[in-house]
Amino acid sequence: MSTLTFQGAVGEVTGSRYLIEMEGTDRSYRVLLECGLHQGGKSADEANAKPFGSLARQLDAVVLSHGHLDHAGLLPKLVREGYSGPIHCTRGTRDLLEIMLEDAAFIMAKDVEWENKWRKRNDKPLLEPLYELADVERTLQQCKSHGYGQPIPLPGGATLIFRDAGHILGSAIVELAVPSGGQTKRIVFSGDLGNPSSVLMKEPEKLFEADVVLMESTYGDRDHRPLEETLEEFAQVLEEAHASGGNVLIPAFAVGRTQEILYHLSVLYHAGRLRQQMVFLDSPMAIKVTELYHRARKSLDAEDLKVLNIAASGDTGRYLPILRMTRTVEESMAINRIHGGAIIIAGAGMCTGGRIVHHFRYNLEKPNTRLVIVGFQAAGTLGRQLVDGAEKVRVLGQELAVKAKVHTIGGFSAHAGQSQLIGWAGAFRDKPRFYLVHGEPETQQVLKHALEESGIEAQVPGYGDRIQL
């Protein structure tokens, strides 16, 4: 009998990992679904540092739903510890991994270097990064990319098919047909389901057949505001910021969200509603991803492409004349001489590092600054502290008083809301077993109850829980 073990993204939104074990005629086979980084605080760092142990050498295949780090960010660590088999993903995911994993390794190296300077001075044991660029290179070499709808044979007699999840470029719903006890059992993992209101992406595919469904529940306790209302709120915040004379800070989720925000800024600009005279995209990774979206535009929603095509080709004169791409550290530092009238989109999205925290040092203590949060902030992150109303935060070793006005605009989310999750779940026939993953505990309980009201029973697994397929 084949089994599935929940090894991550249970009771939390990050750290996605599920182990599928199948009994073959000659031996057992192991497939790892996702290999995500935990994000948010010291406990996340400890979870990331935990060795894979013998699992790294026992695995026969790895399957990824998409390229976000909470789903794929520990892959190079797995490879570093001995995994040498195939990593199956879509073409878009493979291209994103090259950008995102290299960036993660670079930031990790800088963070460890900084920490070790302090440790040397205090006679503490030195740290090693989770992985290095050489591990990323090996990981990319092991990636096998596939198109949507293409059956892919896996070791142990399993079959994999990717379906479009509509979340970010290359994002997939994972469909696995697994032999178990003389039968074939179908596992469907939602990955991150997209928000149909988002621009650029297609709508998530609905599936109808499954025995076991693992469904994300990030926004399982609420629906997003309609896009029209969201855009109006966004426009008003920008207008307020212009009137107050302050800068607007937008923590950048480099993949998907940044491209969407640029799209909407362009629409506001061409409608004569953008009063700011400078927009900075201050994230080398977000710039690279925007260029990748342009190259992969055939995968995107045809109706939304006109604005993005101009952006990615670099023709800012037509797209957004006030947009400036700041790739170098010197260009980024120069922004801090601007005391008002600028929109600064900078990484990282949950404010856990990157250039946004440097802009916090110069802007967070100013009452005329507007901080616009446009994505989910995981528990334990600096972004979550700010959303929850912290009056003081620690940034780069310095305590800052939060005098900026913080706006959370949830309608830009690239995740499905509660009604969309229930609608997607309701398409399955014959009542498969549902397990809610990728959600905070309170949110999952709200979604579980809402699903029950729609006639769908769902369970909330715990870390290490193992089910028979």
Side-chain angles (χ1 to χ4, degrees):
M1 186 71 71
S2 297
T3 61
L4 183 148
T5 305
F6 296 89
Q7 295 190 341
V10 285
E12 62 172 322
V13 176
T14 65
S16 190
R17 196 201 308 175
Y18 315 96
L19 177 64
I20 298 164
E21 297 174 275
M22 302 169 282
E23 287 300 326
T25 52
D26 53 342
R27 66 178 181 89
S28 61
Y29 293 85
R30 294 174 179 84
V31 174
L32 193 66
L33 175 58
E34 312 281 79
C35 192
L37 195 71
H38 298 266
Q39 295 168 311
K42 189 177 178 183
S43 61
D45 294 340
E46 290 170 356
N48 291 330
K50 189 177 178 183
F52 287 98
S54 59
L55 179 65
R57 297 184 184 278
Q58 291 172 347
L59 289 172
D60 296 284
V62 173
V63 175
L64 293 182
S65 68
H66 66 288
H68 272 147
L69 292 180
D70 60 324
H71 291 257
L74 282 185
L75 272 175
K77 182 173 184 284
L78 185 72
V79 169
R80 184 185 181 102
E81 293 185 20
Y83 178 64
S84 59
I87 299 165
H88 297 284
C89 58
T90 66
R91 295 180 186 115
T93 295
R94 164 60 181 78
D95 292 338
L96 278 175
L97 285 177
E98 185 169 354
I99 297 170
M100 299 190 74
L101 294 179
E102 285 180 358
D103 184 78
F106 176 79
I107 290 172
M108 221 175 281
K110 289 290 183 187
D111 288 347
V112 168
E113 182 184 352
W114 183 265
E115 173 72 14
N116 281 343
K117 284 180 182 177
W118 177 86
R119 286 174 171 264
K120 275 182 183 175
R121 288 196 302 268
N122 293 276
D123 293 322
K124 301 284 185 183
L126 300 184
L127 299 179
E128 278 193 15
L130 296 177
Y131 50 84
E132 298 170 329
L133 278 172
D135 305 308
V136 172
E137 288 169 11
R138 285 198 299 275
T139 301
L140 295 171
Q141 288 168 4
Q142 290 169 222
C143 286
K144 310 293 181 189
S145 59
H146 312 277
Y148 292 121
Q150 172 188 342
I152 305 144
L154 297 182
T159 303
L160 162 68
I161 299 177
F162 290 118
R163 310 287 185 185
D164 195 342
H167 175 58
I168 61 170
L169 182 67
S171 62
I173 298 161
V174 176
E175 187 178 356
L176 285 165
V178 174
S180 182
Q183 299 178 301
T184 298
K185 296 295 181 181
R186 197 177 300 273
I187 306 166
V188 171
F189 172 48
S190 69
D192 285 352
L193 290 175
N195 179 355
S197 297
S198 295
V199 295
L200 304 177
M201 304 311 300
K202 297 174 183 176
E203 289 202 19
E205 285 189 52
K206 286 189 174 177
L207 280 69
F208 305 100
E209 306 295 334
D211 296 289
V212 171
V213 178
L214 311 183
M215 187 171 76
E216 68 121 322
S217 52
T218 310
Y219 286 100
D221 59 346
R222 73 196 97 156
D223 281 329
H224 303 304
R225 291 178 68 190
L227 184 60
E228 296 76 14
E229 292 180 21
T230 298
L231 291 175
E232 189 56 38
E233 181 186 0
F234 186 44
Q236 287 176 6
V237 170
L238 297 178
E239 181 68 36
E240 264 184 47
H242 174 75
S244 71
N247 289 327
V248 178
L249 304 183
I250 305 177
F253 290 84
V255 184
R257 196 67 43 81
T258 291
Q259 291 73 38
E260 186 174 2
I261 294 298
L262 288 174
Y263 178 100
H264 292 306
L265 286 174
S266 175
V267 171
L268 288 172
Y269 175 84
H270 289 292
R273 299 192 64 192
L274 190 60
R275 304 284 296 280
Q276 279 80 5
Q277 294 302 303
M278 295 166 283
V279 176
F280 295 97
L281 180 53
D282 189 27
S283 165
M285 183 164 73
I287 293 168
K288 287 179 185 176
V289 172
T290 302
E291 292 167 346
L292 174 59
Y293 266 58
H294 173 59
R295 293 196 300 273
R297 57 192 176 277
K298 289 181 181 177
S299 304
L300 305 178
D301 189 305
E303 295 299 313
D304 296 328
L305 278 178
K306 290 180 183 176
V307 171
L308 179 65
N309 282 347
I310 300 167
S313 66
D315 188 358
T316 55
R318 289 175 57 208
Y319 165 67
L320 189 55
I322 57 176
L323 177 64
R324 301 290 178 267
M325 310 279 199
T326 53
R327 298 173 193 263
T328 68
V329 173
E330 291 75 20
E331 289 172 321
S332 177
M333 290 170 66
I335 297 172
N336 293 320
R337 293 198 288 269
I338 299 168
H339 301 293
I343 297 171
I344 305 163
I345 306 168
M350 294 189 194
C351 313
T352 50
R355 293 182 178 181
I356 192 68
V357 295
H358 292 277
H359 295 303
F360 281 172
R361 289 177 65 184
Y362 291 88
N363 293 275
L364 212 53
E365 295 191 309
K366 297 177 181 177
N368 62 358
T369 297
R370 299 293 183 269
L371 173 60
V372 181
I373 303 291
V374 294
F376 187 85
Q377 305 296 309
T381 62
L382 175 56
R384 181 61 165 266
Q385 292 176 47
L386 291 163
V387 166
D388 289 345
E391 294 182 359
K392 292 182 179 179
V393 292
R394 195 160 189 81
V395 176
L396 298 172
Q398 181 181 352
E399 192 172 80
L400 299 178
V402 182
K403 295 180 182 177
K405 193 169 181 182
V406 180
H407 300 267
T408 303
I409 304 183
F412 285 129
S413 177
H415 284 264
Q418 185 191 78
S419 296
Q420 293 153 348
L421 289 170
I422 293 171
W424 185 81
F428 288 95
R429 306 185 187 105
D430 301 326
K431 294 187 179 297
R433 286 183 284 160
F434 275 85
Y435 295 89
L436 302 183
V437 295
H438 274 277
E440 294 181 345
E442 300 83 2
T443 300
Q444 290 180 320
Q445 290 303 320
V446 172
L447 180 58
K448 183 177 186 290
H449 181 68
L451 285 165
E452 284 171 359
E453 290 182 340
S454 299
I456 300 169
E457 285 189 27
Q459 298 179 52
V460 179
Y463 180 80
D465 284 0
R466 192 181 192 193
I467 61 170
Q468 290 191 335
L469 301 175

